[in-house]
């Protein structure tokens, strides 16, 4: 029987924890959320030799003060889950900062394996680390490694097993002799007044936490009084409070270890990060470069993904024909055939075809994250955001909002200022998430074939502009306080590996598929039933049509006052992922039946294969046309199904107005409830809905009036 080892990955932000886990686990990496919060949780389980090794990647932190949500998650995990081994990841180029967390981890009395990641960069920079001496000073094994070069990966796995089998932890006593005596005195007091605590916490963690006063809950009065006397005694001797003394002790330990183990030779090379920062953080060019990179990201996304979107559409078309042929051979009823074609294939399958768009987009985002540019973007935006009452700290949740609004709202808990937290949470729904991007991608392909990137870029800018206006107005007329000082670490620029980028993109797309699939399937079924009640009646006589018809009058001034468009927006309130599947159900269902044809299995495979070849040829032509090498041919009747129906139902002005409304009104129910939970207020939740709907209507009205 295989033995199981539970390993916790812990380290500072930007030390390459995720990249290292990618190298170890590959595509076995799973992304989720920590219970009760939506801070991202990454897990991976691998089988190595005779062991099952389960890795849990804890949030990046600088210390264990147990104050932020990330620190609390880490402390709770170490105390309650009790991993077998801590894999402490350090940045070899910045050990002086990273070792502070290591000194705190040693207090949990869990066997630690210290990994000196980014070892290759340290060597290039002339930094040498005597890791054997470091092992002796930390009383824990140390391995040099590089996720980028796949250096030390097998050694890490072997050492994890060795550390696990040794089942012993050696505690180094780094504090001054007098301070070690105080810690022992604390443990004696616990033994006398509340010995049960010795069974609940690691002894050294317990002693340090009680002495500095960070562990206060559930203490007996007698123990609390004795601890306070001891703290007063120490303060009278040293002239400082105990918490400050412990911090100084830790920094003293870190400095001592660093001086004994690290040497830096002068290297005659230009500091690349400083040179690049002069460009990307330039006072005048920084923000234009940032906007250019955002626009370039969208161009790359559509250039590379569009051909494969068409290919997946072809695959689904063939599958739909096969499915109907099988159902007809089984004498299935019209009800079943309609359900399979419209609700299942026409709904779920339709949105799945946009996986290429998200995959390419996440590749671009992973590259920007891994290269270190994302932090620079946050730094750049600090000056800009301070003008409407926020700090650069708000930029990170807003940036996350471009992926998904829900985790972005929960990420606002890292903002200490209540005012900035509320403002940021109200701005996030205006950030265009990945789900909305699928709708944008389809509409621009139908209505704005030659300006895809420009139209998408303009929508993102509208979202940002409206968010800024809303925040400015709220800050000026409701909140009247200054923003807080923003401190952000700027990691050195690095070239992320292709494996890291692809793994990250795939993990996120996989998460989208699972979550979207659940929402889309359930909503598609509901919408299909609503549009088919009573069954056999025309869609404009359905229950959904009747309700939507009454509400649609609101949307007439902004260009799309039809019950079909209104019903699609209804479903979009549940989740934006289902807007297209709803449209497919409403607009296309009957037309598909008219276009049905028969295909043998071999003919279907041939169509799929030729579709794949066409996709690659189309990609080559698109790329070549970018450089003026090849002129792309404009295909006639390129859009079939929903696209051709929408062309008859919307003008380009109505389509753009519809996209603007879709961008700005309430993103989804999950975001609404996230705002309620994070701000702990129904009031702000309803204010958010009102602001989003009002803004969406006003902006769409202005756009439609100007361009129709």
């Amino acid at each position: 029987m295989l033995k199981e080892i539970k390993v916790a990955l812990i380290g500072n932000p930007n030390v390459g924890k995720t990249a290292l886990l990618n190298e170890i686990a590959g595509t076995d990496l799973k992304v989720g959320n920590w219970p009760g919060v939506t801070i991202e949780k990454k897990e991976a389980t691998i089988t190595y030799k005779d062991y099952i090794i389960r890795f849990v990647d804890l949030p990046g932190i600088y210390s264990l003060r147990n104050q932020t949500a990330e620190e609390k998650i880490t402390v709770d995990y170490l105390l309650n889950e009790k991993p077998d081994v801590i894999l402490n990841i350090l940045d070899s180029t910045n050990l002086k900062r990273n070792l502070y967390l290591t000194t705190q981890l040693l207090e949990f009395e869990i066997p630690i394996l210290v990994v000196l990641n980014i070892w290759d960069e340290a060597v290039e920079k002339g930094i040498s680390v005597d890791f054997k001496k470091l092992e002796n000073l930390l009383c824990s094994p140390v391995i040099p490694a590089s996720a980028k070069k796949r250096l030390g990966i097998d050694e890490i796995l072997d050492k994890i097993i060795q550390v696990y089998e040794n089942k012993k932890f050696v505690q180094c006593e780094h504090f001054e002799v007098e301070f070690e005596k105080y810690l022992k005195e604390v443990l004696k007091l616990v033994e006398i007044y509340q010995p049960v605590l010795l069974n609940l916490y690691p002894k050294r963690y317990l002693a340090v936490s009680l002495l500095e006063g960070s562990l206060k809950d559930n203490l007996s009065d007698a123990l609390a009084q004795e601890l306070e006397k001891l703290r007063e005694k120490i303060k009278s001797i040293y002239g400082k409070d105990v918490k400050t003394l412990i911090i100084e002790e830790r920094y003293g330990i870190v400095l001592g270890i660093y001086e004994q183990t690290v040497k830096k030779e002068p290297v005659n090379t230009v500091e690349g990060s400083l040179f690049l920062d002069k460009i990307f953080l330039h006072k005048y060019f920084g923000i234009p470069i940032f906007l250019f990179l955002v626009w370039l990201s969208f161009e790359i996304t559509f250039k590379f993904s569009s051909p494969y979107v068409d290919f997946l559409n072809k695959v689904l078309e063939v599958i739909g024909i096969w499915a109907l042929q099988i159902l007809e051979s089984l004498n299935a009823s019209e009800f079943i055939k309609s359900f399979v074609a419209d609700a299942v294939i026409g709904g779920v399958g339709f949105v799945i075809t946009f996986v290429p768009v998200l995959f390419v987009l996440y590749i671009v985002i992973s590259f920007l994250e891994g290269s270190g540019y994302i932090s620079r973007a946050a730094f750049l935006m600090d000056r800009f955001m301070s003008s409407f009452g926020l700090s650069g700290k708000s930029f990170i949740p807003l940036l996350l909002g471009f992926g998904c609004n829900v985790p972005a709202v929960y990420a606002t808990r890292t903002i200490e200022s209540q005012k900035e937290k509320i403002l940021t949470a109200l701005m996030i729904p205006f950030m265009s998430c990945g789900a909305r991007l699928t709708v944008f991608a389809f509409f621009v392909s139908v209505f704005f074939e030659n300006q895809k990137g420009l139209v998408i870029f303009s929508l993102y800018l509208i979202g940002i502009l409206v968010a800024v206006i809303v925040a400015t107005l709220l800050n000026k007329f409701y909140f009247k306080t200054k923003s807080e000082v923003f401190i952000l670490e700027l990691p050195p620029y690095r070239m992320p590996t292709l494996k890291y980028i692809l793994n990250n993109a795939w993990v996120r797309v996989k998460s989208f598929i699972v979550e979207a699939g659940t929402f889309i399937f359930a909503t598609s079924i509901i919408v299909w039933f609503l549009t088919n009640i009573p069954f056999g009646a025309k869609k404009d006589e359905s229950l959904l049509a009747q309700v939507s018809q009454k509400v649609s009058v609101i949307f007439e001034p902004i260009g799309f006052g039809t019950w079909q468009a209104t019903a699609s927006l209804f479903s979009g309130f549940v989740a934006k992922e289902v807007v297209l599947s709803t449209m497919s159900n409403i607009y296309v269902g009957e037309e598909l039946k008219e276009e049905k044809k028969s295909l043998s299995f071999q003919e279907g495979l041939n169509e799929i294969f030729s579709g794949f070849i066409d996709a690659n040829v189309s990609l080559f032509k698109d790329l070549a046309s970018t450089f003026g090498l090849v002129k792309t041919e404009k295909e006639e009747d390129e859009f079939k199904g929903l696209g051709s129906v929408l062309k008859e139902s919307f003008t380009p002005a109505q389509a753009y107005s519809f996209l603007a409304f879709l961008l700005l009104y309430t993103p989804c129910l999950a975001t609404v409830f996230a705002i309620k939970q994070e701000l702990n207020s129904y009031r702000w939740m309803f204010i958010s809905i009102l602001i989003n709907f009002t803004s969406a209507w006003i902006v769409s009205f202005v756009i439609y009036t100007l361009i129709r």
Side-chain angles (χ1 to χ4, degrees):
M1 184 176 177
L2 299 179
K3 295 180 181 178
E4 183 172 329
I5 307 175
K6 190 160 49 176
V7 180
L9 273 78
I10 303 177
N12 288 184
N14 303 313
V15 297
K17 277 192 304 115
T18 303
L20 199 66
L21 188 55
N22 273 335
E23 286 299 324
I24 293 173
T27 55
D28 292 330
L29 196 63
K30 294 179 181 176
V31 177
N33 293 323
W34 289 95
V37 295
T38 53
I39 294 174
E40 193 171 71
K41 177 184 184 182
K42 292 178 179 149
E43 292 180 289
T45 301
I46 66 167
T47 301
Y48 184 73
K49 296 184 176 177
D50 295 330
Y51 298 85
I52 296 173
I53 307 178
R54 190 163 76 86
F55 294 92
V56 178
D57 186 6
L58 290 146
I61 52 173
Y62 293 105
S63 72
L64 294 171
R65 295 175 303 162
N66 206 13
Q67 292 182 351
T68 67
E70 289 82 358
E71 291 168 356
K72 287 176 181 174
I73 285 172
T74 303
V75 172
D76 288 346
Y77 186 83
L78 293 176
L79 292 177
N80 300 322
E81 296 297 326
K82 296 181 174 51
D84 300 303
V85 178
I86 292 175
L87 199 61
N88 180 206
I89 315 296
L90 280 67
D91 179 352
S92 301
T93 65
N94 202 353
L95 285 186
K96 193 182 290 184
R97 188 198 64 200
N98 286 207
L99 282 168
Y100 186 87
L101 177 62
T102 305
T103 62
Q104 290 184 298
L105 290 173
L106 290 168
E107 293 165 4
F108 284 83
E109 300 175 357
I110 297 172
I112 294 181
L113 172 57
V114 176
V115 176
L116 302 179
N117 195 25
I118 318 176
W119 183 263
D120 53 325
E121 283 189 27
V123 172
E124 289 175 5
K125 291 181 177 179
I127 299 171
S128 63
V129 182
D130 187 343
F131 62 90
K132 289 296 179 186
K133 194 169 187 177
L134 188 60
E135 281 187 346
N136 294 330
L137 293 171
L138 295 176
C139 305
S140 300
V142 177
I143 292 180
S146 169
K148 184 177 178 181
K149 304 280 186 181
R150 199 175 165 74
L151 170 70
I153 302 300
D154 292 337
E155 289 85 347
I156 290 172
L157 294 173
D158 289 332
K159 189 62 78 173
I160 286 174
I161 294 172
Q162 185 182 335
V163 170
Y164 170 76
E165 290 295 350
N166 284 341
K167 295 189 183 302
K168 64 179 182 181
F169 172 79
V170 178
Q171 179 69 68
C172 291
E173 295 184 350
H174 290 113
F175 287 169
E176 289 180 8
V177 176
E178 286 301 314
F179 235 91
E180 291 292 343
K181 289 179 181 176
Y182 292 133
L183 294 178
K184 290 181 173 63
E185 192 173 338
V186 170
L187 291 177
K188 286 181 182 177
L189 291 173
V190 173
E191 203 169 336
I192 295 170
Y193 295 101
Q194 204 169 350
V196 68
L197 293 178
L198 295 171
N199 299 323
L200 300 178
Y201 300 98
K203 287 183 180 176
R204 191 168 183 84
Y205 170 80
L206 178 65
V208 174
S209 300
L210 288 175
L211 189 60
E212 68 179 3
S214 60
L215 192 63
K216 298 176 181 176
D217 295 338
N218 302 319
L219 293 187
S220 68
D221 292 340
L223 178 60
Q225 289 173 8
E226 291 299 324
L227 289 171
E228 188 57 35
K229 288 180 185 174
L230 181 58
R231 283 193 282 267
E232 289 298 324
K233 174 186 169 184
I234 296 172
K235 186 177 181 180
S236 67
I237 294 173
Y238 291 91
K240 297 178 182 177
D241 64 83
V242 176
K243 184 174 283 187
T244 302
L245 287 169
I246 289 177
I247 291 173
E248 290 178 351
E249 281 285 315
R250 286 194 178 119
Y251 276 115
I253 294 165
V254 168
L255 192 59
I257 294 175
Y258 180 84
E259 293 296 336
Q260 291 182 65
T261 57
V262 180
K263 290 182 180 177
K264 185 170 184 178
E265 301 293 334
V267 178
N268 295 323
T269 58
V270 178
E271 184 54 64
S273 288
L274 290 177
F275 174 75
L276 291 174
D277 276 344
K278 287 181 180 177
I279 299 172
F280 291 119
L281 300 181
H282 191 274
K283 184 177 180 181
Y284 300 111
F285 302 137
I287 289 180
I289 290 174
F290 165 70
L291 294 176
F292 170 75
L293 290 176
V294 173
W295 171 82
L296 184 63
S297 299
F298 292 131
E299 279 292 307
I300 291 172
T301 297
F302 288 105
K303 286 285 185 188
F304 280 85
S305 65
S306 294
Y308 298 102
V309 170
D310 295 338
F311 166 64
L312 284 180
N313 270 323
K314 170 65 72 178
V315 173
L316 286 169
E317 183 185 330
V318 171
I319 291 174
I321 293 170
W322 283 343
L324 286 177
Q325 288 177 185
I326 292 172
L327 291 172
E328 284 175 359
S329 68
L330 297 174
N331 293 322
S333 65
E334 289 299 318
F335 178 86
I336 296 296
K337 286 191 283 188
S338 174
F339 176 79
V340 173
D342 300 340
V344 178
I345 298 176
V348 178
F350 196 85
V351 177
I352 292 299
T353 59
F354 289 93
V355 165
V357 178
L358 296 179
F359 187 65
V360 178
L361 178 65
Y362 285 135
I363 284 177
V364 174
I365 291 176
S366 297
F367 174 78
L368 293 175
E369 284 178 338
S371 66
Y373 181 75
I374 290 291
S375 299
R376 269 76 182 181
F379 176 78
L380 279 171
M381 298 308 291
D382 184 54
R383 281 181 291 179
F384 169 68
M385 298 185 76
S386 63
S387 60
F388 47 92
L390 294 174
S391 69
K393 193 177 284 187
S394 297
F395 183 72
I396 302 299
L398 292 173
L399 195 63
L400 287 173
F402 287 112
C404 179
N405 286 179
V406 179
V409 171
Y410 285 113
T412 59
R413 65 185 52 183
T414 59
I415 302 171
E416 291 81 9
S417 165
Q418 182 70 1
K419 179 206 81 172
E420 291 185 16
K421 186 172 183 176
I422 293 172
L423 278 179
T424 308
L426 294 180
M427 290 176 73
I428 286 170
F430 295 115
M431 302 298 110
S432 183
C433 62
R436 277 173 276 197
L437 182 61
T438 59
V439 187
F440 297 164
F442 181 78
F443 266 73
V444 296
S445 297
V446 174
F447 293 97
F448 310 102
E449 170 64 20
N450 297 323
Q451 300 91 26
K452 290 179 182 175
L454 185 62
V455 171
I456 298 285
F457 181 57
S458 70
L459 288 168
Y460 275 68
L461 278 185
I462 288 173
I464 294 170
L465 182 63
V466 173
V468 168
I469 292 172
V470 168
T472 303
L473 292 175
L474 284 172
N475 186 52
K476 186 172 183 179
F477 298 107
Y478 189 84
F479 304 101
K480 296 177 181 177
T481 56
K482 295 182 179 178
S483 59
E484 296 185 348
V485 176
F486 178 48
I487 301 173
L488 176 71
E489 178 193 357
L490 297 180
Y493 290 98
R494 296 188 176 104
M495 180 58 72
T497 64
L498 182 62
K499 186 176 181 181
Y500 165 81
I501 293 171
L502 292 178
N503 275 351
N504 254 3
W506 172 240
V507 166
R508 290 172 176 177
V509 169
K510 190 167 65 174
S511 175
F512 169 82
I513 292 172
V514 173
E515 293 176 13
T518 306
F519 266 107
I520 291 169
F521 187 75
T523 310
S524 293
I525 299 301
I526 294 170
V527 171
W528 184 84
F529 274 105
L530 287 175
T531 53
N532 286 278
I533 294 177
F535 185 71
K538 294 181 179 177
K539 283 189 170 59
D540 57 3
E541 296 173 353
S542 67
L543 179 61
L544 182 65
Q546 293 173 32
V547 176
S548 300
Q549 187 67 54
K550 295 185 183 300
V551 180
S552 62
V553 64
I554 300 173
F555 301 110
E556 284 182 4
I558 56 179
F560 44 91
T562 64
W563 73 266
Q564 293 95 332
T566 306
S568 303
L569 293 175
F570 269 135
S571 67
F573 183 73
V574 178
K576 291 293 178 288
E577 291 93 336
V578 299
V579 168
L580 287 176
S581 60
T582 304
M583 286 186 148
S584 180
N585 261 320
I586 294 173
Y587 284 97
V588 184
E590 292 179 356
E591 285 76 359
L592 277 181
K593 294 173 190 173
E594 294 170 2
E595 295 179 358
K596 66 183 179 184
K597 59 182 180 180
S598 62
L599 275 178
S600 68
F601 183 71
Q602 186 59 48
E603 289 172 336
L605 288 180
N606 290 340
E607 286 209 12
I608 291 173
F609 179 74
S610 64
F612 182 72
I613 297 296
D614 290 344
N616 287 288
V617 172
S618 177
L619 173 61
F620 171 77
K621 286 183 177 178
D622 284 347
L623 292 177
S625 68
T626 302
F627 300 101
L629 301 177
V630 172
K631 289 185 178 180
T632 54
E633 296 175 4
K634 190 172 180 63
E635 297 179 19
E636 293 183 0
D637 194 24
E638 183 178 358
F639 303 107
K640 297 178 180 178
L642 179 59
S644 57
V645 176
L646 288 182
K647 270 188 168 179
E648 297 173 2
S649 306
F650 287 80
T651 65
Q654 289 171 324
Y656 194 73
S657 175
F658 182 82
L659 291 181
F661 191 88
L662 190 85
L663 163 75
L664 300 173
Y665 89 116
T666 307
C668 63
L669 276 179
T671 302
V672 169
F673 285 115
I675 290 174
K676 186 269 163 190
Q677 184 181 359
E678 197 53 40
L679 301 184
N680 194 27
S681 166
Y682 279 108
R683 175 170 164 262
W684 284 114
M685 183 188 82
F686 286 117
I687 288 175
S688 169
I689 294 173
L690 181 64
I691 289 174
N692 284 126
F693 187 88
T694 307
S695 305
W697 196 94
I698 292 173
V699 172
S700 295
F701 178 77
V702 172
I703 288 174
Y704 184 62
T705 303
L706 291 176
I707 67 174
R708 65 178 174 175

